[in-house]
Amino acid sequence: MAIGGIKRTKLNKQSILDKISEYDVFRYYMPNTNWKLNVKTHSPFREERTPSFIISQGHNGVSFYDFGDTSKKGDCFAFVKMLYMCSNYDDVLKKIDYDFGLGISGSKIKDYKRIVAQYKQPEKVVKSYSFIQVKTKPFTTEELDYWNQYYQDEDDLRANNIYSIQELFLNKKRWVVDPTVLTFGYLYDGHWKIYKPFADKKYKWVPNNVPITAMDGKDDIKNCHTAFITKSKKDYMVMKKIFPTCCAVQNEGIGCFDDDNVEYIKANSDIQILSFDSDTTGVENSKAITDKFGFDYCNVPRKYLAEGINDWADLAKHYGLKVIEDYLINKNIIK
């Protein structure tokens, strides 16, 4: 005979995360309340003057990393376990359940919703994917002249899955392609990233349904000594002319560096050199990512910023490949 009643929820990580978020846990237990996601702050594990601790958000959730003691890293549950020196994860789960008053393990339910309503939840790092269809056409002389400025010919474009776009459809609706505006398509395993080099910044990369973790040049860095990591396909194509073992991510965001990408890069190279733009944003992003993953970094010399040059592609365009080669030799990257 069946006995009626309420089914008790088992206390585990998922049952906790069904009620509160990873961010909520870090927010509640982090002693230093003046911290932000993806920005280094002071470690809660010791007294220090220079920030060496980061709580970051990526596609796989929110995690922490202590650069001063690299054994301290992991998710929010690992953070609580280390911070409070819990003997096991059962104690961690019980503590979070009790402190928030989730009522999962039979403890009295508090108004945990009131606790988490006191602040705004961070936006999740997700990407809304759309359906893009294109009709390509032969490259025009104007289009080839554009790429020739960056030392790329038609064979290079084909090898890197770059196409000239004649027609474009977003979610099966026609997207206007202005024939007077250079419009290229980057193809990544069935996904398209549309590039209009002379469009306003807001429209330069739309539409785009390429996963943020897609990379260029993964085969080029397989089993290499030094992997040179750039932030765009064009920089990658230019640098490949000089330094064959290079690759590229989609942009300067930390979301590009998921666990799979970082593991692949590190497993296939002895040294990793990150290279973003040399403007303030690029340098800040470089430092955050190199600090987190232990990469080296090498950006375009800042002396060129006065000329509006902050990446390798534009440096090659204005000064040629030899200038870049000489700079890498001077930095002991090319030996």
Side-chain angles (χ1 to χ4, degrees), residues 142-152 182 195 197-198 204 234-235 237-239 241-242 300 304 307-325:
E142 181 185 9
E143 291 169 336
L144 292 176
D145 286 345
Y146 169 79
W147 285 102
N148 288 162
Q149 298 176 99
Y150 302 101
Y151 298 88
Q152 309 299 317
L182 293 185
Y195 175 44
F198 299 116
K204 184 173 288 189
K234 190 160 61 175
D235 278 355
M237 293 167 66
V238 167
M239 290 304 297
K241 298 284 183 180
I242 304 162
V300 172
Y304 294 107
E307 302 173 54
I309 299 171
N310 62 11
D311 63 26
W312 299 111
D314 278 347
L315 185 59
K317 174 184 174 182
H318 289 88
Y319 287 95
L321 297 176
K322 186 66 166 57
V323 167
I324 301 176
E325 183 179 10

Side-chain angles (χ1 to χ4, degrees), residues 98-226:
Y98 177 82
D99 289 346
F100 277 88
L102 303 178
I104 299 173
S105 60
S107 60
K108 185 177 179 180
I109 299 177
K110 301 177 186 176
D111 189 8
Y112 66 90
K113 293 182 180 179
R114 179 185 57 80
I115 297 175
V116 302
Q118 295 176 22
Y119 47 84
K120 184 179 180 181
Q121 292 287 328
E123 292 184 8
K124 292 184 177 180
V125 182
V126 296
K127 187 167 185 175
S128 178
Y129 295 105
S130 51
F131 182 54
I132 298 175
Q133 298 167 290
V134 305
K135 181 179 180 181
T136 63
K137 62 179 177 63
F139 288 105
T140 66
T141 300
E142 181 185 9
E143 291 169 336
L144 292 176
D145 286 345
Y146 169 79
W147 285 102
N148 288 162
Q149 298 176 99
Y150 302 101
Y151 298 88
Q152 309 299 317
D153 59 22
E154 190 166 355
D155 288 339
D156 293 316
L157 301 182
R158 297 297 185 196
N160 287 279
N161 295 309
I162 298 177
Y163 299 88
S164 176
I165 304 301
Q166 180 173 324
E167 295 182 75
L168 178 61
F169 298 86
L170 176 63
N171 296 326
K172 298 187 177 181
K173 293 183 179 179
R174 184 179 295 275
W175 184 282
V176 176
V177 177
D178 186 341
T180 66
V181 175
L182 293 185
T183 304
F184 303 103
Y186 296 174
L187 180 61
Y188 292 86
D189 293 326
H191 297 90
W192 288 95
K193 184 175 188 177
I194 305 303
Y195 175 44
K196 297 181 285 294
F198 299 116
D200 291 340
K201 186 176 181 179
K202 183 178 179 181
Y203 302 103
K204 184 173 288 189
W205 295 105
V206 293
N208 171 17
N209 67 357
V210 174
I212 197 171
T213 53
M215 288 181 59
D216 286 289
K218 291 180 75 171
D219 287 341
D220 296 324
I221 64 169
K222 188 173 290 185
N223 300 320
C224 71
H225 179 267
T226 301

Side-chain angles (χ1 to χ4, degrees), residues 73-104:
K73 58 185 176 181
D75 62 13
C76 62
F77 301 100
F79 176 71
V80 174
K81 184 176 186 292
M82 294 179 190
L83 189 64
Y84 289 92
M85 294 181 287
C86 299
S87 58
N88 54 59
Y89 275 102
D90 284 340
D91 290 344
V92 172
L93 299 176
K94 290 175 182 176
K95 178 174 181 56
I96 296 173
D97 182 35
Y98 177 82
D99 289 346
F100 277 88
L102 303 178
I104 299 173

Side-chain angles (χ1 to χ4, degrees), residues 217-315:
K218 291 180 75 171
D219 287 341
D220 296 324
I221 64 169
K222 188 173 290 185
N223 300 320
C224 71
H225 179 267
T226 301
F228 198 91
I229 311 160
T230 69
K231 50 74 183 168
S232 73
K233 182 186 283 286
K234 190 160 61 175
D235 278 355
Y236 155 73
M237 293 167 66
V238 167
M239 290 304 297
K240 189 176 176 180
K241 298 284 183 180
I242 304 162
F243 198 85
T245 58
C246 63
C247 60
V249 291
Q250 292 297 308
N251 57 45
E252 295 180 343
I254 199 168
C256 299
F257 293 89
D258 66 353
D259 292 343
D260 289 341
N261 280 349
V262 174
E263 182 180 352
Y264 181 90
I265 293 169
K266 287 195 168 186
N268 280 281
S269 58
D270 299 323
I271 297 172
Q272 304 83 35
I273 300 176
L274 186 71
S275 184
F276 285 172
D277 288 354
S278 57
D279 57 15
T280 301
T281 301
V283 171
E284 288 178 353
N285 289 335
S286 291
K287 289 182 177 179
I289 292 171
T290 53
D291 283 349
K292 180 170 184 179
F293 300 117
F295 298 161
D296 294 328
Y297 76 90
C298 172
N299 295 344
V300 172
R302 292 179 64 82
K303 68 179 183 180
Y304 294 107
L305 283 175
E307 302 173 54
I309 299 171
N310 62 11
D311 63 26
W312 299 111
D314 278 347
L315 185 59

